[in-house]
Amino acid sequence: MSSLFQKYNVPGPRYTSYPTVPYWEDSSYSYEKWLDSVRTSFTESNSTQGISLYIHLPFCESLCTFCGCHKHITKRHEMEDPYIQNVLKEWRLYLAMLPSRPRIKEIHLGGGTPTFFSPENLQYLIDQIFEGADRAEGFQFSFEGHPNNTTREHLERLYDLGFTRVSYGVQDYSPEVQKAIHRIQPFANVERVTLQAREIGYSSISHDLVFGLPFQKEEDMRYTIDCTNRLRPDRISFYSYAHVPWVKGTGQRGFDENDLPTPDQKRHLYEIGKQQLLDNGYIEIGMDHFALPSDEMYESFVRGTLHRNFMGYTASKTQLMIGLGISAISDSWYGFAQNVKTIKEYEEVLSQDRIPVYRGHILSEEDLILRRHILNLMCQFHTSWEAPQLQFAEAEEVKMRLSEMEKDGLIHLHPQGIEVTDVGKPFVRNICMAFDLRLQRNVPTTRIFSMTI
């Protein structure tokens, strides 16, 4: 296995979209085309599926040096209200161009630190969102909570608004690792908010863990998974640390690459953690995710309805996802658009009564076909050659690229399609890269992706 890791540990996308952001084409995109794609998707899907909202709440009181998200570091809580007013203005601009009243199936509050905001402000935000929308049948609302500042009032207010899923960023319980990534949070804080959410009635509690962090050792991983198993969260996101210090704004400059585990050590950390989770009844779902059999994530994986987008894995799919807030990315299925990345720009564009997107991509027919293949592989570990909507001109070239992976035991190729083996699951990003024709046609000359393993 070590030789496979060395062979396939190359820079590659995480495939929360296809095409991936570095391969979006400005020539395909315009503001008007984006709005047209939103209207088309909304008309096709609102009455049957509903839509999703991702709301980016970017404020953090301190900088975690492992984080690659867009955030705004401040202790000034007076910034909450003006930001919420701008998010609501953006939402109303979308409402004004939609042909009918939206039915919201999913809301996810991400960050940043959503629980930076007071419970009162979060309630106001959600109440105002639904001034112009309805809840779809079977809606699922979730938010990200920081264990240090999530209060029982946060949990109760959001639960009363329909939120039944919460995800806590844990990362690692080792004091040395926490100090290195500037994320000091004792187990007691995680235990408190986990038990409170369970008492209140949240149906799914998730913990985010990260392997490959600076100074992280085998004993740290065993200790972190032991602590996690004591609390038995319903879901676990077990992410590979993506070291991308060249990306502006990440803050990943507080430690040296020499402080990180080697690729072999990093994968060993994952295998240790994975085995401990499996031994305690968790089931591997998609890439880097685990769930208890009682959780809806597992049920959606079994049903074949697991979906992946810019929010990560979701247990249900809506065709249209609107992103609100700075840097948020929207997905109409036919196109992507990203908002401006600073609060100042966000305010300025909104003051012109314009939705604050600044770049995007409108998918070609080939993009749509390849997107389906990559989603199938990321969510179900298999895809088909047979269905008309999955056929494309360069399929034989893709099969040739996959042939070496078949020799290495990562996949089974057959006339009907491709199956990822258990050996191949850690390499699913590499397998998807064989389908990524935009990447294959224009291999980057500089490093733009994190390592795949």
Side-chain angles (χ1 to χ4, degrees), residues 316-369:
S316 62
K317 172 183 179 291
T318 64
Q319 185 168 299
L320 175 61
M321 183 186 77
I322 293 175
L324 304 175
I326 66 165
S327 79
I329 297 177
S330 299
D331 176 358
S332 68
W333 182 256
Y334 303 110
F336 305 113
Q338 183 172 22
N339 283 355
V340 295
K341 295 182 179 181
T342 69
I343 291 173
K344 182 179 180 181
E345 290 175 290
Y346 187 61
E347 293 173 343
E348 287 175 350
V349 178
L350 286 168
S351 71
Q352 302 164 24
D353 293 329
R354 184 180 174 91
I355 294 170
V357 293
Y358 81 104
R359 65 171 176 172
H361 178 89
I362 303 300
L363 279 73
S364 67
E365 286 300 317
E366 180 186 82
D367 289 337
L368 286 166
I369 292 168

Side-chain angles (χ1 to χ4, degrees), residues 66-233:
F66 73 94
C67 179
C69 299
H70 292 284
K71 60 269 180 184
H72 184 94
I73 308 301
T74 183
K75 294 183 183 294
R76 295 175 53 218
H77 284 265
E78 64 267 25
M79 297 183 73
E80 293 180 34
D81 183 66
Y83 185 80
I84 285 175
Q85 295 301 332
N86 280 315
V87 167
L88 291 172
K89 181 168 186 178
E90 182 185 4
W91 173 233
R92 289 169 187 138
L93 289 172
Y94 272 109
L95 289 176
M97 50 80 64
L98 295 176
S100 61
R101 190 174 172 92
R103 301 168 63 249
I104 299 179
K105 180 68 174 290
E106 293 183 322
I107 294 178
H108 183 71
L109 306 181
T113 306
T115 47
F116 174 97
F117 289 74
S118 71
E120 294 80 9
N121 277 336
L122 292 174
Q123 178 170 353
Y124 175 77
L125 170 64
I126 301 303
D127 285 343
Q128 291 298 304
I129 289 288
F130 282 103
E131 285 290 312
D134 299 314
R135 288 168 172 80
E137 184 179 354
F139 64 86
Q140 296 181 334
F141 299 165
S142 60
F143 73 97
E144 297 168 11
H146 193 312
N148 287 354
N149 67 14
T150 299
T151 65
R152 189 177 187 97
E153 188 178 3
H154 279 115
L155 292 164
E156 290 175 342
R157 289 279 186 111
L158 289 168
Y159 183 79
D160 289 344
L161 291 165
F163 285 76
T164 57
R165 285 193 54 229
V166 57
S167 174
Y168 295 122
V170 174
Q171 328 319 339
D172 187 284
Y173 285 111
S174 160
E176 182 182 17
V177 175
Q178 289 189 1
K179 182 179 179 181
I181 63 176
H182 202 231
R183 177 82 173 208
I184 308 299
Q185 59 187 26
F187 173 79
N189 289 1
V190 182
E191 181 180 42
R192 172 183 59 81
V193 292
T194 299
L195 296 180
Q196 285 178 345
R198 198 165 280 149
E199 290 167 4
I200 290 166
Y202 282 77
S203 60
S204 186
I205 301 165
S206 178
H207 287 185
D208 293 346
L209 308 177
V210 180
F211 64 94
L213 290 168
F215 306 109
Q216 196 175 48
K217 299 180 287 294
E218 179 176 333
E219 55 266 34
D220 300 323
M221 182 56 61
R222 294 190 186 279
Y223 176 64
T224 293
I225 301 298
D226 282 343
C227 290
T228 301
N229 283 324
R230 284 167 58 187
L231 297 178
R232 301 289 287 170

